[in-house]
Amino acid sequence: MQINKSLVILNGFVHDFAAGIWLAVIVTIGMLHRAHSTHPEITAVINTLEHRFFWASAAAMVLIMATGAGRTFTYVENWYGPDAERVRRRMLIVKHIILFACFGAGYLYVYGKVFH
């Protein structure tokens, strides 16, 4: 049973780490794209990096979704007590709605920069 608990914890770490990678890559794409106008001589290199980072963000997104699904199946109910769990569940729903909006906005922001 101990291995299962370790895998649940590892799953949570991977989920959080992949989310951090996704955000860092989206920000990096934005920063790279700004370099197009200031350093036109390296545009070809920047375009290649933008494409690689875009696909790295897509891989991170798949990892986020897969490990997030894993978290759903390993959720421990009533850890904090019934009242706190109701509030926690509502907050998780709101958090995920906000995060899905951020993911969508992030891809809307970078897609045109990468595939121009």
Side-chain angles (χ1 to χ4, degrees):
M1 189 68 155
Q2 184 62 31
I3 188 81
N4 290 340
K5 289 180 182 178
S6 296
L7 290 175
V8 168
I9 293 168
L10 179 63
N11 181 70
F13 288 166
V14 171
H15 181 77
D16 295 342
F17 189 67
I21 288 172
W22 182 88
L23 180 59
V25 169
I26 295 299
V27 170
T28 301
I29 290 170
M31 293 172 67
L32 284 171
H33 193 74
R34 274 185 293 212
H36 276 272
S37 59
T38 56
H39 302 290
E41 66 277 4
I42 59 169
T43 297
V45 173
I46 292 172
N47 285 341
T48 301
L49 288 172
E50 286 176 348
H51 281 86
R52 288 183 181 170
F53 279 129
F54 180 86
W55 292 113
S57 78
M61 177 60 68
V62 168
L63 198 54
I64 291 165
M65 295 293 184
T67 55
R71 276 184 158 182
T72 300
F73 296 116
T74 59
Y75 183 78
V76 177
E77 292 198 34
N78 294 318
W79 179 265
Y80 299 104
D83 293 334
E85 282 301 319
R86 274 192 290 281
V87 173
R88 182 172 123 107
R89 284 179 186 232
R90 275 188 250 127
M91 290 175 74
L92 280 170
I93 290 168
V94 170
K95 177 189 94 166
H96 284 92
I97 290 169
I98 292 168
L99 289 175
F100 278 117
C102 289
F103 287 142
Y107 279 120
L108 283 173
Y109 173 70
V110 299
Y111 188 82
K113 295 177 183 333
V114 174
F115 300 102
H116 50 84

